[in-house]
Amino acid sequence: MASFTTIWVCFVFTTELALPHVEAFCRFKNNHDQINVTCRKETKFPSGIPQNAFLIDLSHCKISSLQRKDLQSFSQLRIFRIAGSQLRTIENTTFDHNQQLNVLDLSRNSNINSDTTKTFICHLARMNRNVRELYLSVMNITTSDFYDIIRCLEKTQLTVLDLSSTIKGSLKNYTFSKMKSLRVLKLGSIYPVNLRALVNLTLLNTLRLSDTKLEEIPSFYDRDTNATLLPSLTALYLDANYIARLPSKSVGLDNLEFMSMRSNRLMRFTASDISTLSTKLNTLFFNTNKGIHIEECSFSESVTRLELRDCRIAFSRNVRTIFRTATHMTGLSLTKNTFDQSDDALGTIFHPMPNLTHLSLEYCSIKHIPDTTFQGLHRLIMLTLRGNRISKLSSKHFRDLHSLESLNLAENKLTMVYEDVIKSFPPSLKAVDFAQNPFVCTCDLLWFMKLFRGGRIVFLETDTNDAYKCYNPAEMAGKKLTSFEITDADCVHMSLGVKLIIMISGIVCFVALITLVVYRFRWYIGYGYFLLRARRREAMEVSGQTQYAYDAFVAYNKNDLTWVKDELLPLLEDEAHLRLCVHDRDWLCGRDVIDNIVQSIESSRKTLLIVSNAFAASQWCQLEMTLAQHRLLAEDRNALVLVLMEPIERRNVTPRLILQMRQQTYLEWTDDPVGQKLFWKKLLRSLKKQSGSIVHSSSVDRPKPEFSEDGIEPGCVDVDVSDRTPLSQRAHV
Ligand SMILES: *[C@@H]1O[C@H](CO)[C@@H](O)[C@H](O)[C@H]1NC(C)=O
Ligand SMILES: *[C@@H]1O[C@H](CO)[C@@H](O)[C@H](O)[C@H]1NC(C)=O
Ligand SMILES: *[C@@H]1O[C@H](CO)[C@@H](O)[C@H](O)[C@H]1NC(C)=O
Ligand SMILES: *[C@@H]1O[C@H](CO)[C@@H](O)[C@H](O)[C@H]1NC(C)=O
Ligand SMILES: *[C@@H]1O[C@H](CO)[C@@H](O)[C@H](O)[C@H]1NC(C)=O
Ligand SMILES: *[C@@H]1O[C@H](CO)[C@@H](O)[C@H](O)[C@H]1NC(C)=O
Ligand SMILES: *[C@@H]1O[C@H](CO)[C@@H](O)[C@H](O)[C@H]1NC(C)=O
């Protein structure tokens, strides 16, 4: 079980003390009276270790011999490790003065002569009654010396014995039968496996049978008694064997809780296979079983911890169901497998496991994490996503991770960790690892930099050289993140709020400017628009698109009726075939006078004003002229033709008439027959001419109007404006 805990990173906070007079490669851990000393790379036994040392670890050093004088001062010593230290000789009396010695690890010192080892162990077994754990893996011991050593150890109260890869070949029946206190026994490279060597180990809870060429899990039932050989066994290591399947019937491991089958040939299994082995089985290490057909696998409800590292599994939508019944899962490692990039593979796979606390997905080629992946994982404490190709994090990923304490995203493709993501980190988060990501060191990284520079969250691997570096932009490439100095002030112009303000004020300025320009040049703009309309109307008239009911509307005072009837109408209508609108004849009865005037002007191409003193004096005639001017101005038609019947007296001259006469060519009636001939010619021409635009009429030559000083008295009967009878009726009064 101990090895399981080493799988998950654990944080041990202890004070580290450097004692100056001790060799350079030793580290001291001091807790109350307990001093643990760990040395690496020493070539001889280090001096200066405190005499009250609790633990001395000289593993991986190059110390060739151990003598009594080396260790005699450490009367408190409980644990001594010197694994893999290239030991050649060891004095039998080395530990005679360390009567507290509890744990001795001599593993991987295969240079010690087998006989030396035997005499040393036998001496130790006799002298050190408190030794409980003895590690002798990968030692060079002959078979006969091995059984002698076991005879010596039978006298001790050993609980842990590691003999992995120490002797080759099958063990004899009853080898360990007299070591009844054994709880942990580690064996390796002993094949064929003879389980009868384990008879009588009723207290044994952990057995290691690694690298023993097992092709199936052997039966632990005693052939003689039909009872299980190891009734207390809870943990079984069967690593590096050739096991392809789980047994189909019970093998006498009813109390098994932990099973490690790393580096086997496991292919497929079902939840019931696991239950058959043991209904208490809760921890399975199936790492490096590269032939697993995961589609055909499933896990029983009892399984709470599972490792499937490096199994070459391609998780796709097809395997969503493998965890369907593993509802009690708390620790899961799927490291070094691959995930189909579709959302189906990763999106819901963890949803059946609401109690998951540790999840490891390292080196799984994950590019994209669907938002739903960690949904409902309220208890997740540790999430490891190292070595994937994740380039984007979403705040939705952390929405449900209320218990997350450790997050590892090292060696991914993150260029940026945005504000919303950092804000979505749960308050429980204590440590993160973002090493080896290709950060883009711009203002977008400001929030991440704030987090990085210090705060409640610890960044791991910051000591490692170049673990946190900028990759972009070019001028920052290769620089350490710690040298990326950036503050709020540097980035204030980049913040979203400021961007918005700049954008809005820009728009306001632009609108104000346009308004100002339009107001300042409103007349020019109006004129331009007028010109445009005039051109269009001209074009329409030229192409004959505008249809008029009449060629001309004749406005006159009733005093001039005779002239209109006798002279104008016969000539224009009968001879020139123009259609004229004359109010006496063409106005509709019962209609409003003003409506009639407007209607007549609009439905006539030209408006002919017969101006006499009576006309000028008459309010109705003035109204007609005014309306004609307004209408034609509104329509931009230069369609007024003025006929001056007589010189107009000054008192009848209104400003409007002057204006009209200034703007317009007008024709003067004369009594001279030759002049009359010319008059009719001109009149006809001006009535037939296209009506141009008012704004273009400047080209028309304009005789200066003349007014007689003392004209005839007006013959025009003034019409009472309040009189609502139609003009046509009044005209005949
Ligand atoms: C010393 O080592 C022992 C055994 O590994 C451990 O239980 C203990 O906590 C350690 N003490 C210190 C101070 O590190
Ligand atoms: C110690 O080992 C030597 C051989 O290396 C042996 O001659 C001697 O008798 C041993 N001493 C004890 C006390 O076992
Ligand atoms: C083991 O010891 C024997 C003799 O005692 C020696 O011949 C052999 O080379 C040693 N093996 C190793 C791996 O040291
Ligand atoms: C171990 O005991 C069994 C009977 O229980 C016997 O068949 C077998 O030959 C024995 N093996 C050895 C190596 O003595
Ligand atoms: C197993 O233990 C029992 C007593 O607990 C003892 O009688 C028996 O001889 C032991 N078997 C062996 C093979 O040592
Ligand atoms: C053990 O079980 C087998 C059948 O399962 C039976 O034949 C045998 O007699 C049993 N032995 C003992 C000692 O109970
Ligand atoms: C999760 O754990 C809680 C308490 O540890 C337990 O009550 C609950 O049944 C568990 N749920 C599942 C689905 O295992």
Side-chain angles (χ1 to χ4, degrees):
M1 215 61 92
S3 87
F4 182 80
T5 54
T6 62
I7 303 300
W8 312 115
V9 183
C10 64
F11 307 103
V12 180
F13 296 100
T14 47
T15 53
E16 293 208 8
L17 222 82
L19 298 183
H21 56 284
V22 185
E23 323 276 309
F25 303 116
C26 292
R27 286 192 300 129
F28 292 77
K29 281 191 175 175
N30 202 341
N31 192 3
H32 304 297
D33 286 343
Q34 212 176 61
I35 300 173
N36 291 358
V37 185
T38 305
C39 303
R40 298 283 183 261
K41 301 178 186 173
E42 302 292 327
T43 51
K44 58 183 175 49
F45 198 94
S47 60
I49 294 176
Q51 294 190 352
N52 58 344
F54 178 87
L55 174 150
I56 298 174
D57 186 350
L58 304 177
S59 299
H60 311 294
C61 291
K62 284 178 183 165
I63 298 168
S64 58
S65 72
L66 270 187
Q67 291 151 3
R68 187 169 64 170
K69 66 175 177 56
D70 292 332
L71 284 134
Q72 63 185 3
S73 56
F74 307 112
S75 56
Q76 313 287 309
L77 191 65
R78 294 287 184 92
I79 304 170
F80 185 76
R81 296 185 194 279
I82 189 162
S85 251
Q86 304 181 9
L87 269 183
R88 293 188 165 274
T89 59
I90 183 162
E91 223 174 54
N92 351 1
T93 55
T94 303
F95 296 100
D96 277 6
H97 289 89
N98 314 108
Q99 283 306 308
Q100 302 292 319
L101 192 68
N102 216 234
V103 180
L104 177 59
D105 185 356
L106 289 174
S107 297
R108 301 190 304 283
N109 284 297
S110 55
N111 290 332
I112 307 174
N113 176 283
S114 174
D115 188 54
T116 306
T117 308
K118 183 184 80 179
T119 47
F120 166 74
I121 298 283
C122 286
H123 184 84
L124 183 86
R126 210 166 48 243
M127 297 298 294
N128 298 71
R129 313 302 290 181
N130 286 313
V131 172
R132 293 289 177 271
E133 300 181 23
L134 191 55
Y135 297 89
L136 299 169
S137 68
V138 202
M139 300 282 281
N140 192 358
I141 300 173
T142 64
T143 307
S144 65
D145 285 342
F146 171 78
Y147 287 105
D148 288 346
I149 287 171
I150 296 297
R151 293 292 87 77
C152 292
L153 291 177
E154 280 171 358
K155 298 183 187 77
T156 66
Q157 299 295 307
L158 272 191
T159 58
V160 178
L161 180 59
D162 184 357
L163 295 166
S164 305
S165 307
T166 293
I167 55 151
K168 306 267 186 290
S170 193
L171 293 176
K172 290 181 186 168
N173 284 347
Y174 318 120
T175 301
F176 304 104
S177 289
K178 294 209 170 65
M179 300 178 74
K180 287 187 178 171
S181 54
L182 270 188
R183 276 150 172 95
V184 178
L185 179 59
K186 300 184 179 181
L187 300 170
S189 67
I190 45 143
Y191 45 81
V193 172
N194 174 20
L195 290 180
R196 295 194 59 78
L198 308 177
V199 171
N200 265 8
L201 294 182
T202 49
L203 296 176
L204 198 73
N205 58 46
T206 303
L207 176 64
R208 182 176 191 133
L209 286 173
S210 298
D211 189 22
T212 52
K213 301 193 177 172
L214 282 174
E215 290 180 1
E216 58 182 11
I217 297 177
S219 174
F220 284 78
Y221 285 113
D222 188 334
R223 232 174 299 164
D224 299 337
T225 62
N226 280 358
T228 177
L229 276 172
L230 304 169
S232 302
L233 200 71
T234 55
L236 177 62
Y237 290 83
L238 294 170
D239 302 328
N241 286 300
Y242 306 140
I243 301 165
R245 61 185 61 82
L246 299 182
S248 53
K249 60 183 194 330
S250 171
V251 289
L253 295 171
D254 292 347
N255 292 316
L256 203 63
E257 294 170 8
F258 171 100
M259 187 167 68
S260 174
M261 283 181 59
R262 289 177 281 215
S263 301
N264 274 277
R265 295 173 180 176
L266 214 52
M267 290 173 73
R268 58 177 66 84
F269 50 85
T270 63
S272 78
D273 289 340
I274 295 167
S275 303
T276 302
L277 200 56
S278 163
T279 52
K280 296 176 183 167
L281 210 49
N282 58 42
T283 303
L284 296 170
F285 288 0
F286 285 168
N287 305 332
T288 323
N289 279 274
K290 295 186 176 175
I292 286 191
H293 299 287
I294 202 73
E295 297 91 339
E296 299 163 33
C297 300
S298 61
F299 299 89
S300 68
E301 229 177 75
S302 62
V303 176
T304 58
R305 293 171 180 185
L306 173 68
E307 288 198 5
L308 280 170
R309 296 165 60 103
D310 193 20
C311 286
R312 290 195 190 155
I313 302 168
F315 285 93
S316 67
R317 59 179 307 162
N318 303 333
V319 302
R320 273 179 303 177
T321 52
I322 68 162
F323 298 123
R324 199 182 48 209
T325 51
T327 50
H328 292 56
M329 195 79 82
T330 60
L332 178 64
S333 173
L334 301 177
T335 288
K336 289 191 176 176
N337 291 289
T338 55
F339 278 87
D340 188 331
Q341 290 310 317
S342 73
D343 280 11
D344 289 323
L346 208 48
T348 56
I349 192 165
F350 309 120
H351 289 191
M353 315 172 200
N355 280 356
L356 206 58
T357 58
H358 293 76
L359 178 60
S360 182
L361 295 168
E362 300 178 39
Y363 306 100
C364 284
S365 315
I366 298 168
K367 283 185 189 155
H368 162 72
I369 306 174
D371 289 345
T372 55
T373 305
F374 307 125
Q375 201 173 299
L377 302 185
H378 300 284
R379 291 165 190 243
L380 197 67
I381 293 168
M382 179 175 291
L383 175 60
T384 307
L385 289 159
R386 174 184 279 270
N388 284 294
R389 296 179 202 148
I390 300 161
S391 58
K392 198 171 178 295
L393 292 179
S394 158
S395 57
K396 288 181 183 139
H397 293 150
F398 303 98
R399 204 170 38 194
D400 284 358
L401 304 182
H402 310 305
S403 309
L404 195 67
E405 290 178 14
S406 168
L407 172 66
N408 190 337
L409 277 158
E411 294 178 55
N412 274 285
K413 303 270 182 239
L414 292 169
T415 55
M416 214 48 95
V417 185
Y418 290 102
E419 181 183 347
D420 63 327
V421 174
I422 288 167
K423 283 185 170 167
S424 72
F425 286 165
S428 54
L429 194 61
K430 292 190 181 100
V432 292
D433 192 341
F434 281 95
Q436 316 285 0
N437 276 290
F439 292 112
V440 174
C441 293
T442 62
C443 273
D444 285 337
L445 207 62
L446 180 66
W447 272 83
F448 181 77
M449 288 308 297
K450 285 184 188 174
L451 195 74
F452 180 71
R453 277 198 222 101
R456 58 180 182 91
I457 297 177
V458 175
F459 274 70
L460 303 178
E461 284 193 72
T462 44
D463 298 341
T464 319
N465 270 350
D466 296 343
Y468 292 85
K469 277 198 303 185
C470 299
Y471 277 62
N472 268 310
E475 68 270 18
M476 290 299 295
K479 288 192 180 160
K480 287 185 183 179
L481 215 59
T482 45
S483 67
F484 179 41
E485 305 278 345
I486 194 154
T487 61
D488 279 325
D490 298 331
C491 297
V492 73
H493 62 282
M494 297 298 284
S495 86
L496 186 68
V498 174
K499 269 186 202 164
L500 256 173
I501 289 169
I502 289 171
M503 235 168 66
I504 290 170
S505 51
I507 291 169
V508 167
C509 281
F510 182 73
V511 168
L513 193 78
I514 292 290
T515 312
L516 204 77
V517 166
V518 167
Y519 183 74
R520 172 76 181 76
F521 297 101
R522 61 193 186 281
W523 298 116
Y524 292 94
I525 291 166
Y527 178 76
Y529 173 68
F530 209 55
L531 270 183
L532 215 70
R533 257 184 44 172
R535 290 231 178 89
R536 209 176 55 223
R537 173 167 284 281
E538 248 172 76
M540 268 167 70
E541 232 169 78
V542 167
S543 62
Q545 278 176 12
T546 321
Q547 296 292 328
Y548 295 104
Y550 302 103
D551 288 310
F553 163 56
V554 186
Y556 57 92
N557 187 272
K558 64 164 183 166
N559 282 8
D560 305 314
L561 178 65
T562 331
W563 181 81
V564 168
K565 265 212 291 243
D566 300 346
E567 305 265 355
L568 188 76
L569 290 183
L571 206 98
L572 293 185
E573 287 203 318
D574 302 341
E575 282 183 34
H577 304 294
L578 292 176
R579 289 172 40 75
L580 297 183
C581 173
V582 183
H583 56 65
D584 285 316
R585 189 183 66 192
D586 299 316
W587 279 12
L588 296 169
C589 291
R591 206 165 168 185
D592 188 73
V593 181
I594 294 173
D595 278 352
N596 264 326
I597 296 172
V598 171
Q599 177 66 40
S600 302
I601 293 166
E602 277 183 351
S603 54
S604 306
R605 189 204 324 250
K606 299 269 177 171
T607 299
L608 188 56
L609 298 179
I610 312 297
V611 183
S612 59
N613 273 309
F615 183 96
S618 154
Q619 282 191 36
W620 277 109
C621 299
Q622 288 291 339
L623 179 67
E624 280 182 348
M625 183 165 73
T626 306
L627 282 172
Q629 277 174 338
H630 276 254
R631 285 307 311 170
L632 298 175
L633 195 69
E635 290 176 23
D636 184 31
R637 280 202 289 143
N638 190 10
L640 263 183
V641 179
L642 251 62
V643 171
L644 226 55
M645 295 305 292
E646 55 194 356
I648 309 299
E649 284 172 30
R650 186 169 289 280
R651 62 189 172 108
N652 291 332
V653 175
T654 58
R656 188 175 292 280
L657 185 59
I658 295 179
L659 177 73
Q660 193 58 52
M661 289 172 78
R662 285 231 175 96
Q663 265 184 4
Q664 215 72 33
T665 316
Y666 57 90
L667 308 169
E668 281 174 286
W669 176 249
T670 171
D671 294 335
D672 175 38
V674 183
Q676 284 184 2
K677 217 169 180 183
L678 198 66
F679 169 86
W680 290 121
K681 216 168 165 181
K682 275 179 164 176
L683 182 62
L684 267 177
R685 204 170 57 215
S686 63
L687 285 179
K688 281 183 172 164
K689 201 171 69 181
Q690 296 290 352
S691 48
S693 163
I694 287 168
V695 291
H696 278 167
S697 62
S698 55
S699 58
V700 181
D701 64 316
R702 222 168 263 156
K704 203 173 179 288
E706 280 169 27
F707 300 107
S708 67
E709 289 292 318
D710 46 358
I712 322 145
E713 280 295 308
C716 192
V717 176
D718 216 338
V719 181
D720 187 2
V721 181
S722 63
D723 186 352
R724 305 297 297 171
T725 47
L727 198 64
S728 56
Q729 290 167 22
R730 265 180 284 123
H732 296 290
V733 173

PDB file of all heavy atoms in Angstrom, residues 109-115 138-142 145, ligand 3:
ATOM      1  N   ASN A 109      23.564  -4.314  -3.373  1.00  0.00           N
ATOM      2  CA  ASN A 109      25.006  -4.313  -3.140  1.00  0.00           C
ATOM      3  C   ASN A 109      25.529  -5.693  -3.518  1.00  0.00           C
ATOM      4  O   ASN A 109      25.944  -6.493  -2.681  1.00  0.00           O
ATOM      5  CB  ASN A 109      25.319  -3.990  -1.678  1.00  0.00           C
ATOM      6  CG  ASN A 109      25.148  -2.503  -1.397  1.00  0.00           C
ATOM      7  OD1 ASN A 109      25.841  -1.675  -1.959  1.00  0.00           O
ATOM      8  ND2 ASN A 109      24.200  -2.185  -0.532  1.00  0.00           N
ATOM      9  N   SER A 110      25.472  -5.973  -4.808  1.00  0.00           N
ATOM     10  CA  SER A 110      25.741  -7.332  -5.272  1.00  0.00           C
ATOM     11  C   SER A 110      27.234  -7.668  -5.283  1.00  0.00           C
ATOM     12  O   SER A 110      27.617  -8.782  -5.623  1.00  0.00           O
ATOM     13  CB  SER A 110      25.138  -7.552  -6.665  1.00  0.00           C
ATOM     14  OG  SER A 110      25.635  -6.563  -7.539  1.00  0.00           O
ATOM     15  N   ASN A 111      28.076  -6.697  -4.925  1.00  0.00           N
ATOM     16  CA  ASN A 111      29.515  -6.977  -4.897  1.00  0.00           C
ATOM     17  C   ASN A 111      29.967  -7.659  -3.604  1.00  0.00           C
ATOM     18  O   ASN A 111      31.097  -8.120  -3.522  1.00  0.00           O
ATOM     19  CB  ASN A 111      30.312  -5.684  -5.081  1.00  0.00           C
ATOM     20  CG  ASN A 111      30.175  -5.153  -6.507  1.00  0.00           C
ATOM     21  OD1 ASN A 111      29.957  -5.944  -7.429  1.00  0.00           O
ATOM     22  ND2 ASN A 111      30.265  -3.858  -6.663  1.00  0.00           N
ATOM     23  N   ILE A 112      29.078  -7.676  -2.633  1.00  0.00           N
ATOM     24  CA  ILE A 112      29.461  -8.333  -1.383  1.00  0.00           C
ATOM     25  C   ILE A 112      29.461  -9.848  -1.601  1.00  0.00           C
ATOM     26  O   ILE A 112      28.504 -10.397  -2.169  1.00  0.00           O
ATOM     27  CB  ILE A 112      28.501  -7.981  -0.230  1.00  0.00           C
ATOM     28  CG1 ILE A 112      28.363  -6.457  -0.090  1.00  0.00           C
ATOM     29  CG2 ILE A 112      29.005  -8.582   1.084  1.00  0.00           C
ATOM     30  CD1 ILE A 112      27.323  -6.058   0.946  1.00  0.00           C
ATOM     31  N   ASN A 113      30.504 -10.444  -1.159  1.00  0.00           N
ATOM     32  CA  ASN A 113      30.652 -11.894  -1.257  1.00  0.00           C
ATOM     33  C   ASN A 113      29.515 -12.594  -0.529  1.00  0.00           C
ATOM     34  O   ASN A 113      29.094 -12.166   0.537  1.00  0.00           O
ATOM     35  CB  ASN A 113      32.022 -12.232  -0.649  1.00  0.00           C
ATOM     36  CG  ASN A 113      32.292 -13.691  -0.590  1.00  0.00           C
ATOM     37  OD1 ASN A 113      31.754 -14.376   0.275  1.00  0.00           O
ATOM     38  ND2 ASN A 113      33.129 -14.163  -1.507  1.00  0.00           N
ATOM     39  N   SER A 114      28.960 -13.653  -1.127  1.00  0.00           N
ATOM     40  CA  SER A 114      27.803 -14.358  -0.585  1.00  0.00           C
ATOM     41  C   SER A 114      28.066 -14.840   0.854  1.00  0.00           C
ATOM     42  O   SER A 114      27.216 -14.703   1.740  1.00  0.00           O
ATOM     43  CB  SER A 114      27.464 -15.556  -1.484  1.00  0.00           C
ATOM     44  OG  SER A 114      26.435 -16.326  -0.910  1.00  0.00           O
ATOM     45  N   ASP A 115      29.282 -15.354   1.070  1.00  0.00           N
ATOM     46  CA  ASP A 115      29.612 -15.871   2.406  1.00  0.00           C
ATOM     47  C   ASP A 115      29.673 -14.733   3.436  1.00  0.00           C
ATOM     48  O   ASP A 115      29.207 -14.875   4.566  1.00  0.00           O
ATOM     49  CB  ASP A 115      30.953 -16.606   2.325  1.00  0.00           C
ATOM     50  CG  ASP A 115      31.270 -17.336   3.621  1.00  0.00           C
ATOM     51  OD1 ASP A 115      30.407 -18.135   4.061  1.00  0.00           O
ATOM     52  OD2 ASP A 115      32.337 -17.058   4.205  1.00  0.00           O
ATOM     53  N   VAL A 138      18.380  -7.938  -4.792  1.00  0.00           N
ATOM     54  CA  VAL A 138      19.505  -7.875  -5.724  1.00  0.00           C
ATOM     55  C   VAL A 138      20.856  -7.974  -5.013  1.00  0.00           C
ATOM     56  O   VAL A 138      21.729  -7.127  -5.162  1.00  0.00           O
ATOM     57  CB  VAL A 138      19.443  -6.597  -6.620  1.00  0.00           C
ATOM     58  CG1 VAL A 138      20.257  -6.827  -7.893  1.00  0.00           C
ATOM     59  CG2 VAL A 138      18.036  -6.231  -6.979  1.00  0.00           C
ATOM     60  N   MET A 139      20.983  -8.974  -4.199  1.00  0.00           N
ATOM     61  CA  MET A 139      22.278  -9.281  -3.572  1.00  0.00           C
ATOM     62  C   MET A 139      22.809 -10.549  -4.247  1.00  0.00           C
ATOM     63  O   MET A 139      22.071 -11.269  -4.913  1.00  0.00           O
ATOM     64  CB  MET A 139      22.114  -9.533  -2.062  1.00  0.00           C
ATOM     65  CG  MET A 139      21.545  -8.360  -1.289  1.00  0.00           C
ATOM     66  SD  MET A 139      22.727  -7.077  -0.958  1.00  0.00           S
ATOM     67  CE  MET A 139      23.607  -7.809   0.421  1.00  0.00           C
ATOM     68  N   ASN A 140      24.090 -10.812  -4.047  1.00  0.00           N
ATOM     69  CA  ASN A 140      24.663 -11.992  -4.668  1.00  0.00           C
ATOM     70  C   ASN A 140      24.800 -13.083  -3.606  1.00  0.00           C
ATOM     71  O   ASN A 140      25.779 -13.141  -2.881  1.00  0.00           O
ATOM     72  CB  ASN A 140      26.021 -11.619  -5.279  1.00  0.00           C
ATOM     73  CG  ASN A 140      26.560 -12.694  -6.191  1.00  0.00           C
ATOM     74  OD1 ASN A 140      25.932 -13.758  -6.344  1.00  0.00           O
ATOM     75  ND2 ASN A 140      27.714 -12.459  -6.767  1.00  0.00           N
ATOM     76  N   ILE A 141      23.772 -13.918  -3.512  1.00  0.00           N
ATOM     77  CA  ILE A 141      23.751 -14.951  -2.476  1.00  0.00           C
ATOM     78  C   ILE A 141      23.531 -16.310  -3.130  1.00  0.00           C
ATOM     79  O   ILE A 141      22.613 -16.474  -3.942  1.00  0.00           O
ATOM     80  CB  ILE A 141      22.617 -14.671  -1.448  1.00  0.00           C
ATOM     81  CG1 ILE A 141      22.842 -13.309  -0.774  1.00  0.00           C
ATOM     82  CG2 ILE A 141      22.552 -15.784  -0.397  1.00  0.00           C
ATOM     83  CD1 ILE A 141      21.694 -12.875   0.118  1.00  0.00           C
ATOM     84  N   THR A 142      24.363 -17.237  -2.781  1.00  0.00           N
ATOM     85  CA  THR A 142      24.199 -18.580  -3.350  1.00  0.00           C
ATOM     86  C   THR A 142      23.014 -19.278  -2.699  1.00  0.00           C
ATOM     87  O   THR A 142      22.551 -18.873  -1.626  1.00  0.00           O
ATOM     88  CB  THR A 142      25.449 -19.440  -3.104  1.00  0.00           C
ATOM     89  OG1 THR A 142      25.593 -19.618  -1.687  1.00  0.00           O
ATOM     90  CG2 THR A 142      26.692 -18.780  -3.679  1.00  0.00           C
ATOM     91  N   ASP A 145      23.749 -20.659   0.793  1.00  0.00           N
ATOM     92  CA  ASP A 145      23.865 -19.558   1.749  1.00  0.00           C
ATOM     93  C   ASP A 145      22.496 -18.959   2.060  1.00  0.00           C
ATOM     94  O   ASP A 145      22.197 -18.561   3.187  1.00  0.00           O
ATOM     95  CB  ASP A 145      24.791 -18.466   1.204  1.00  0.00           C
ATOM     96  CG  ASP A 145      26.263 -18.870   1.269  1.00  0.00           C
ATOM     97  OD1 ASP A 145      26.568 -19.811   2.037  1.00  0.00           O
ATOM     98  OD2 ASP A 145      27.082 -18.267   0.553  1.00  0.00           O
TER      99      ASP A 145
HETATM  100  C1  LIG B   3      28.336 -13.273  -7.288  1.00  0.00           C
HETATM  101  O1  LIG B   3      29.359 -13.923  -6.545  1.00  0.00           O
HETATM  102  C2  LIG B   3      30.064 -14.844  -7.270  1.00  0.00           C
HETATM  103  C3  LIG B   3      31.047 -15.524  -6.319  1.00  0.00           C
HETATM  104  O2  LIG B   3      30.710 -15.337  -5.018  1.00  0.00           O
HETATM  105  C4  LIG B   3      30.752 -14.198  -8.431  1.00  0.00           C
HETATM  106  O3  LIG B   3      31.419 -15.157  -9.235  1.00  0.00           O
HETATM  107  C5  LIG B   3      29.728 -13.442  -9.288  1.00  0.00           C
HETATM  108  O4  LIG B   3      30.358 -12.727 -10.285  1.00  0.00           O
HETATM  109  C6  LIG B   3      28.949 -12.489  -8.440  1.00  0.00           C
HETATM  110  N1  LIG B   3      27.896 -11.894  -9.224  1.00  0.00           N
HETATM  111  C7  LIG B   3      27.703 -10.583  -9.230  1.00  0.00           C
HETATM  112  C8  LIG B   3      26.549 -10.139 -10.098  1.00  0.00           C
HETATM  113  O5  LIG B   3      28.383  -9.831  -8.636  1.00  0.00           O
END
